[in-house]
């Protein structure tokens, strides 16, 4: 209770008619709240904030009073997130931004320090910096005033620059030119905050990155300055942030992946950050940045995999929290627990990048101590982020035929994967279903057990998703499942999917969905007995779908795939009749035999060859009907084609007529 009584006394003094006493009251309040969260909370509850803001904005307040008010508000903001929320509710940001128009530097610095504290809090919406269009240019102008304005403004920018819109606003207001020279400031804090600014400006932004490559500071190009900042004698935070700048510029296409500053400087620096000597936070950031750097480039993946035993070094990321007996310090345990998730997530991400393309690297990862067990355990972790990273890592390793046949089988990876697919957020579903596509390839031993565990229904469900990536993966996995499958599996797929859904997918707006659905149809309609069986039950609808696609505005690949489906139907015994009795389709095949695109001519030729093949019953009638349509004349013309493939196929078809 006594705290509240003394707190009330502090607030009451802010209303004294004597300005000198008010100033003394604010100074006493400042000394009382430093490091005292309880006192801060009490003063906020008692309404100190609106009064301090009133004094801060009052024309008649002395500059000294205004400055002290800004300092106290900054101190209140340093407390809990709730304190920051209370300050935001009192509209502190517009008041402080208004304060930046003052001529007095000390007051400006106090306002900026308070703004910095508020904007770096997770509860503050970044948008508040951009609401008034005059703010950013004014902050750019204040950068030249003092090392404090430089430090705080850069810190505000780096925290409030989220996404391409913010990057563009800052870039258009001259952020690059205004901040570049701060990299050579005498103050370490200014250099550091300027560097952080460049990392957030360059991230996934080709426009900014291409500009940075050519910026000169004191006669030196920016990438060279960044390289100097990631040398071993620099503070770790500086090394890491410079490595991020170079990584982001490289990923945005402004620096080549084989440039020395990436291969000889950035990559080794990031690998160093993964070592045991570094703090857990640094190891997380190092691994995540390295994963991002090497993700698209197989050469960098190979170099990283043989640098400083990286693959073995990452195994250590799974050893936190250390065995409890070894940790007597409860704070340390808490710290380790907090970072254990992040460490596992980072290791999975980096393994996924390392193993994205190279078979030998995947083998090395899988042979690292208990790695498959660790990944499988990761699939059922409580943290969504860890689960996602584990699925991505498995997906990367599942690109290997060798591993699908061995490690994936030994560890029955499909079991936890099917569990993950039951009820996961979309981002996990997309990767997990993509991996299921790999496990369903015809050479994968997991195919059988997956089918028995209800995969068909699950995948048919995915094809109805709102999310196009999930529709593609659902249909892709079904396509792999149907490849060289037995009749029962094909019947299951058709029954679960339903013809209605199949046709909905054939008219899907997403080209990938359409292509994979055609691939599924083509796989369903392979081997004669299957073709005849499916066409006897679904023939009418399938012929309708084929007609619609051949008439529609589709690209060459789609039409080629559709003609290949027709060629498969033409290979059936009874299914042939569905083509021969459909003059519309026959005319379309004829049209594509004379098409300007060789791929389509070849696909149409396959249809004709299958229809006229001699050894088969009824071939004579089919040959006569096609001759009457003028097909033989077209075959003669095609036998003169400059395309050797087409020419051979035409000659072979003509021989069927001569036999």
């Amino acid at each position: 209770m006594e705290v509240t009584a003394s707190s009330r006394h502090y607030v009451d003094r802010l209303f004294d008619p004597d300005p000198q006493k008010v100033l003394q009251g604010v100074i006493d309040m400042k000394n009382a709240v430093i490091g005292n969260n309880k006192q801060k909370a009490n003063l906020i509850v008692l309404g100190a904030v609106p009064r301090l803001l009133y004094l801060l904005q009052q024309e008649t307040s002395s500059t000294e009073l205004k400055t002290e008010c800004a300092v106290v508000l900054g101190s209140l903001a340093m407390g809990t997130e709730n304190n920051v929320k209370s300050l935001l509710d009192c509209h502190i940001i517009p008041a402080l931004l208004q304060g930046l128009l003052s001529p007095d530097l000390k007051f400006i610095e106090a306002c900026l320090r308070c703004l910095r504290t508020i904007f770096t809090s997770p509860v503050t919406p970044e948008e508040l910096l951009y609401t008034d269009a005059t703010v950013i240019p004014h902050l750019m102008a204040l950068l030249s005033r003092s090392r404090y304005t430089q430090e705080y403004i850069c810190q505000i920018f780096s925290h409030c620059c989220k996404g391409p819109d913010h990057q563009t606003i800052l870039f258009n207001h001259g952020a690059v030119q205004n901040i570049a020279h701060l990299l050579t400031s005498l103050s370490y804090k200014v250099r550091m905050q300027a560097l952080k600014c460049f990392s957030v400006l360059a991230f996934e932004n080709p426009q900014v990155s291409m500009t940075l490559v050519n910026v000169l500071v004191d006669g030196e190009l920016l990438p060279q300055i960044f390289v100097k900042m990631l040398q071993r004698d620099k503070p770790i935070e500086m090394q890491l942030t410079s490595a991020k700048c170079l990584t982001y510029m490289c990923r945005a296409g402004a620096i080549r992946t084989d440039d020395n500053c990436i291969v000889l400087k950035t990559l080794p620096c990031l690998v160093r950050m993964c070592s045991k000597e570094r703090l857990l936070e640094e190891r997380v950031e190092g691994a995540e940045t390295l994963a991002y750097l090497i993700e698209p480039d197989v050469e960098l993946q190979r170099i990283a995999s043989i640098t400083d035993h990286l693959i073995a070094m990452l195994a250590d990321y799974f050893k936190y929290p250390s065995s409890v007996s070894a940790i007597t310090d409860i704070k340390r345990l808490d710290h380790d627990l907090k970072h254990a998730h992040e460490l596992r997530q980072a290791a999975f991400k980096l393994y996924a990048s390392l193993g994205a393309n190279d078979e030998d690297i995947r083998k090395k990862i899988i042979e690292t101590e208990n790695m498959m067990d660790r990944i499988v355990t990761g699939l059922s972790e409580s943290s969504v982020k860890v689960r996602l990273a584990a699925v991505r890592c498995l997906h990367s390793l599942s690109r290997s035929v060798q591993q699908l046949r061995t490690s994936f089988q030994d560890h029955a990876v499909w079991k936890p994967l099917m569990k993950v697919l039951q009820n996961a957020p979309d981002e996990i579903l997309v990767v997990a279903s993509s991996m299921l596509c790999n496990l369903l390839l015809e050479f994968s031993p997991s195919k059988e057990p997956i089918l028995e565990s209800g995969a068909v229904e699950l995948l048919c469900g995915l094809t109805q998703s709102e999310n196009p990536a999930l529709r593609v993966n659902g249909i892709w996995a079904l396509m792999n499942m149907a490849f060289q499958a037995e009749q029962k599996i094909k019947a299951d797929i058709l029954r679960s999917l339903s013809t209605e859904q199949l046709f909905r997918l054939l008219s899907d707006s997403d080209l990938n969905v359409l292509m994979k659905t055609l691939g599924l149809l083509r796989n369903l309609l392979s081997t004669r007995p299957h073709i005849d069986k499916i066409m006897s039950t679904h023939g009418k609808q399938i012929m309708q779908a084929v007609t619609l696609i051949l008439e529609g505005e589709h690209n060459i690949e789609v039409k080629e795939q559709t003609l290949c489906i027709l060629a498969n139907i033409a290979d059936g015994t009874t299914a042939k009749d569905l083509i021969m009795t459909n003059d519309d389709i026959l005319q379309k095949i004829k049209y594509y035999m004379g098409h300007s695109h060789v791929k389509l001519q070849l696909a149409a030729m396959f249809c004709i060859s299958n229809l006229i093949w001699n050894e088969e019953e009824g071939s004579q009638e089919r040959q006569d009907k096609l001759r009457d349509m003028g097909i033989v004349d077209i075959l003669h013309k095609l036998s003169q084609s400059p395309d050797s493939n087409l020419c051979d196929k035409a000659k072979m078809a003509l021989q069927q007529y001569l036999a």
Side-chain angles (χ1 to χ4, degrees), residues 425-571:
D426 268 14
E427 51 177 350
I428 289 184
L429 269 181
V430 170
V431 189
S433 56
S434 189
M435 185 180 145
L436 195 58
C437 294
N438 292 346
L439 290 182
L440 287 167
L441 291 166
E442 103 279 5
F443 50 73
S444 161
S446 314
K447 188 169 177 173
E448 291 305 314
I450 291 175
L451 287 171
E452 286 153 23
S453 67
V456 176
E457 286 76 13
L458 191 142
L459 294 168
C460 290
L462 287 183
T463 68
Q464 299 179 17
S465 165
E466 292 289 305
N467 181 334
L470 287 177
R471 291 203 301 279
V472 170
N473 287 350
I475 201 78
W476 193 342
L478 288 169
M479 178 183 102
N480 285 351
M481 192 186 276
F483 183 72
Q484 296 181 352
E486 55 204 63
Q487 174 63 37
K488 184 190 167 305
I489 293 174
K490 292 183 178 180
D492 277 355
I493 292 175
L494 267 173
R495 194 178 49 250
S496 280
L497 192 60
S498 83
T499 17
E500 295 76 49
Q501 177 60 4
L502 188 64
F503 294 121
R504 230 174 275 138
L505 293 166
L506 285 173
S507 55
D508 200 286
S509 56
D510 188 293
L511 178 65
N512 283 326
V513 174
L514 172 58
M515 281 299 282
K516 295 289 177 264
T517 310
L518 290 170
L520 168 64
L521 250 183
R522 192 174 167 180
N523 287 349
L524 290 172
L525 293 167
S526 61
T527 72
R528 273 196 191 154
H530 297 182
I531 296 170
D532 290 335
K533 179 99 182 63
I534 290 171
M535 292 307 286
S536 69
T537 49
H538 299 84
K540 198 171 156 215
Q541 297 109 310
I542 289 175
M543 293 305 281
Q544 261 175 333
V546 166
T547 310
L548 276 173
I549 291 174
L550 289 177
E551 282 174 357
E553 290 290 317
H554 291 291
N555 68 19
I556 301 289
E557 280 66 31
V558 169
K559 301 234 164 151
E560 180 191 20
Q561 191 71 282
T562 310
L563 286 166
C564 289
I565 291 170
L566 265 183
N568 282 9
I569 297 170
D571 194 33

Side-chain angles (χ1 to χ4, degrees), residues 243-461:
K244 273 185 170 176
C245 290
L246 290 160
T247 293
Y248 298 162
M249 287 163 73
C250 177
R251 283 295 309 261
I255 300 178
R256 292 167 49 116
T257 50
D258 58 1
D259 190 301
N260 280 348
C261 75
I262 298 297
V263 179
L264 303 179
K265 302 290 183 185
T266 310
L267 187 145
C269 167
L270 289 169
V271 173
R272 278 203 306 278
M273 295 303 148
C274 299
S275 75
K276 258 187 166 146
E277 285 68 65
R278 302 272 52 88
L279 296 172
L280 300 187
E281 297 87 318
E282 294 161 357
R283 294 170 77 181
V284 168
E285 213 173 328
E288 296 213 334
T289 309
L290 183 55
Y292 182 67
L293 173 66
I294 66 175
E295 190 182 20
D297 190 272
V298 63
E299 221 16 73
L300 290 180
Q301 289 155 15
R302 288 187 184 130
I303 296 166
S305 72
I306 53 169
T307 305
D308 295 352
H309 308 290
L310 176 64
I311 291 177
M313 189 151 64
L314 285 176
D316 193 64
Y317 278 45
F318 296 92
K319 298 184 179 155
Y320 294 87
S322 333
S323 61
V324 179
S325 57
I327 300 184
T328 41
D329 173 2
I330 199 76
K331 260 193 172 150
R332 165 81 195 285
L333 175 65
D334 194 49
H335 175 261
D336 277 13
L337 276 169
K338 182 171 159 295
H339 288 289
H341 283 313
E342 293 173 4
L343 281 161
R344 288 199 292 277
Q345 182 190 341
F348 283 143
K349 278 186 185 171
L350 185 43
Y351 278 139
S353 278
L354 282 163
N357 297 292
D358 188 291
E359 200 56 46
D360 295 337
I361 299 177
R362 291 184 195 128
K363 195 165 176 312
K364 251 191 195 162
I365 292 172
I366 286 172
E367 286 167 0
T368 304
E369 44 178 323
N370 329 337
M371 196 40 68
M372 285 307 272
D373 293 333
R374 287 193 172 127
I375 303 174
V376 168
T377 310
L379 291 178
S380 51
E381 281 217 25
S382 56
S383 150
V384 174
K385 286 181 170 170
V386 179
R387 279 211 308 275
L388 178 60
V391 172
R392 284 206 171 123
C393 181
L394 258 187
H395 178 238
S396 183
L397 300 172
S398 78
R399 295 193 183 117
S400 153
V401 176
Q402 184 56 37
Q403 300 309 335
L404 284 175
R405 285 190 169 145
T406 52
S407 318
F408 277 64
Q409 197 48 25
D410 303 342
H411 291 267
V413 166
W414 63 271
K415 280 186 188 161
L417 184 70
M418 288 297 287
K419 211 166 140 193
V420 167
L421 282 160
Q422 299 308 328
N423 47 3
D426 268 14
E427 51 177 350
I428 289 184
L429 269 181
V430 170
V431 189
S433 56
S434 189
M435 185 180 145
L436 195 58
C437 294
N438 292 346
L439 290 182
L440 287 167
L441 291 166
E442 103 279 5
F443 50 73
S444 161
S446 314
K447 188 169 177 173
E448 291 305 314
I450 291 175
L451 287 171
E452 286 153 23
S453 67
V456 176
E457 286 76 13
L458 191 142
L459 294 168
C460 290

Side-chain angles (χ1 to χ4, degrees), residues 4 76 171 175 182 188 226-227 241 251 282 284 354 365 401 408 440 445 456 470 509 543 583-584 598 613 626 653 658:
T4 314
L76 295 178
F171 179 77
L182 303 181
Y188 171 74
F226 293 151
V227 166
T241 314
R251 283 295 309 261
E282 294 161 357
V284 168
L354 282 163
I365 292 172
V401 176
F408 277 64
L440 287 167
V456 176
L470 287 177
S509 56
M543 293 305 281
D583 288 343
D584 186 19
V598 174
W613 205 252
L626 292 170
L658 299 171

Side-chain angles (χ1 to χ4, degrees), residues 45-58:
V45 169
L46 292 169
V49 177
R51 183 62 184 170
L52 288 167
L53 283 171
Y54 170 81
L55 295 169
L56 179 112
Q57 296 174 87
Q58 196 51 9

